[in-house]
């Protein structure tokens, strides 16, 4: 039986199973660590719920994420949903830390070996995952298998229910909503307004080098974040580029925009 979020109980001590040494794990986590398992691209409300359940287990939440999945599977490169420069601050606001594991080193592990890595190499005392979590080679095992395998290793496991905000909360859905320009639903799923960082501002107010995913074409009223203050601004996302309407801000270097004021229009004309 799957142990759901409110049924998380410390299991009786289980027997150890032969472990497997996977490279690149980074050594054991601190004592009283709980592994929050998932794909933490968006750091959305579903992820914050995993952190909350880890705390209800009286453990310290650690997000266990995986690097290099796109290279392994041959997926096209795409920008993250959260700019790398903003990720640390978000994790701090969540009250969690993160350990990034190389996907290439764990993809071939059996479900049993994956749990052994959690217990023997990372030294976690608990694990939290969503109801749709899968793990092991070729995603062979589901959340209920993690509960069963965890019980055998004396590992406390919680399976959290999926959250719904105008549909199931997921990074994939958030990307779709961004392309539709639906910033209101994006904010509901993220638990905060979407934020985008550009590394430079060129001539005619053209924003360059975005560090994370931008919304679809349209004109958006935004808050420009600088020097600890928010300045009302507007940005036009067009087929031929992204343009900050406030040309008096052209002396800025990096441009940090919070999409918290809605879309003024969905159709735009090229400059």
């Amino acid at each position: 039986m799957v142990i759901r979020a409110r049924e998380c109980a410390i299991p009786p001590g289980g027997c150890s199973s032969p472990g497997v040494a996977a490279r690149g794990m980074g050594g054991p986590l601190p004592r009283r660590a709980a592994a929050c398992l998932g794909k933490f691209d968006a750091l959305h409300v579903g992820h914050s719920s995993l952190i909350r359940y880890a705390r209800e287990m009286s453990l310290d939440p650690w997000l266990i994420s995986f690097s290099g999945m796109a290279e392994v599977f041959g997926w096209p490169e795409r920008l993250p949903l959260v700019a790398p420069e903003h990720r640390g601050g978000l994790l701090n606001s969540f009250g969690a830390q993160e350990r990034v594991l190389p996907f290439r080193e764990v993809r071939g592990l059996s479900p049993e070996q994956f749990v052994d890595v959690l217990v023997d190499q990372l030294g976690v005392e608990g694990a939290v995952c969503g109801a749709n979590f899968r793990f092991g080679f070729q995603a062979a095992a589901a959340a209920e298998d993690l509960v069963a395998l965890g019980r055998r290793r004396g590992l406390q496991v919680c399976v959290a229910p999926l959250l719904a905000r105008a549909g199931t909360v997921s990074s994939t859905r958030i990307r779709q909503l961004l392309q539709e320009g639906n910033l209101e639903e994006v904010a509901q799923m993220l638990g905060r307004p979407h934020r985008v960082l550009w590394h430079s501002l060129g001539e005619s107010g053209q924003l360059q080098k975005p560090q994370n995913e931008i919304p679809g074409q349209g004109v958006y009223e935004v808050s420009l974040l600088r020097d600890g203050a928010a300045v009302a601004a507007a940005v036009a996302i067009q087929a031929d580029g992204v343009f900050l309407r406030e040309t008096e801000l052209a002396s800025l270097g990096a441009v940090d925009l919070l999409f918290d004021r809605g879309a003024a229009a969905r159709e735009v004309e090229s400059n």
Side-chain angles (χ1 to χ4, degrees):
M1 179 184 70
V2 176
I3 301 177
R4 298 296 175 183
R6 298 297 178 180
E7 302 174 323
C8 301
I10 300 176
C15 60
S16 296
S17 62
V20 58
R23 297 177 296 175
M25 300 300 105
L29 298 175
R31 292 183 65 254
R32 306 298 297 165
C36 299
L37 302 168
K39 298 176 182 177
F40 298 102
D41 183 15
L43 295 177
H44 54 57
V45 294
H47 300 147
S48 63
S49 74
L50 300 184
I51 293 169
R52 184 172 69 254
Y53 292 134
R55 289 204 192 93
E56 290 182 0
M57 300 159 73
S58 299
L59 298 175
D60 297 324
W62 281 76
L63 306 188
I64 305 299
S65 56
F66 304 94
S67 64
M69 292 185 69
E71 293 84 352
V72 169
F73 289 119
W75 296 339
E77 290 188 15
R78 60 183 182 181
L79 291 170
L81 284 167
V82 176
E85 293 88 340
H86 297 156
R87 193 170 181 87
L90 271 176
L91 288 171
N92 285 339
S93 70
F94 283 7
Q97 300 183 70
E98 184 173 41
R99 171 68 61 86
V100 181
L101 306 183
F103 181 69
R104 189 178 300 276
E105 299 299 331
V106 300
R107 68 170 303 206
L109 298 179
S110 68
E112 294 82 2
Q113 290 172 330
F114 179 78
V115 173
D116 287 344
V117 167
L118 292 180
V119 175
D120 298 327
Q121 290 188 253
L122 297 183
V124 301
E125 298 182 31
V128 187
C129 68
N132 62 348
F133 179 69
R134 301 199 67 86
F135 65 104
F137 184 58
Q138 296 183 336
E144 57 265 29
D145 300 307
L146 182 62
V147 173
L149 292 171
R151 185 177 295 116
R152 288 169 51 186
R153 293 301 319 271
L155 181 69
Q156 181 180 1
V157 176
C158 279
V159 179
L162 300 180
L163 297 185
R165 300 284 192 278
T168 300
V169 177
S170 71
S171 297
T172 298
R173 180 59 180 151
I174 290 170
R175 287 184 183 275
Q176 293 171 345
L177 291 169
L178 277 175
Q179 288 308 302
E180 296 168 6
N182 191 338
L183 276 301
E184 183 177 351
E185 288 191 21
V186 167
Q188 290 178 11
M189 291 195 174
L190 290 177
R192 63 186 185 277
H194 186 56
R195 184 179 178 184
V196 181
L197 179 68
W198 282 267
H199 268 184
S200 63
L201 180 65
E203 296 180 358
S204 303
Q206 184 171 10
L207 298 172
Q208 300 169 340
K209 301 179 182 177
Q211 298 306 295
N212 57 308
E213 195 74 29
I214 67 174
Q217 292 186 39
V219 178
Y220 300 89
E221 296 178 353
V222 298
S223 294
L224 189 151
L225 307 177
R226 60 172 182 174
D227 301 326
V231 179
V235 63
I237 299 177
Q238 306 172 177
D240 61 342
V242 180
F243 298 88
L244 187 66
R245 291 293 177 89
E246 284 67 26
T247 56
E248 70 273 12
L249 301 174
S251 61
L252 290 174
V255 176
D256 194 355
L257 298 183
L258 195 65
F259 286 77
D260 59 344
R261 296 161 55 84
R266 291 292 295 129
E267 299 297 330
V268 295
E269 296 180 358
S270 298
N271 281 358

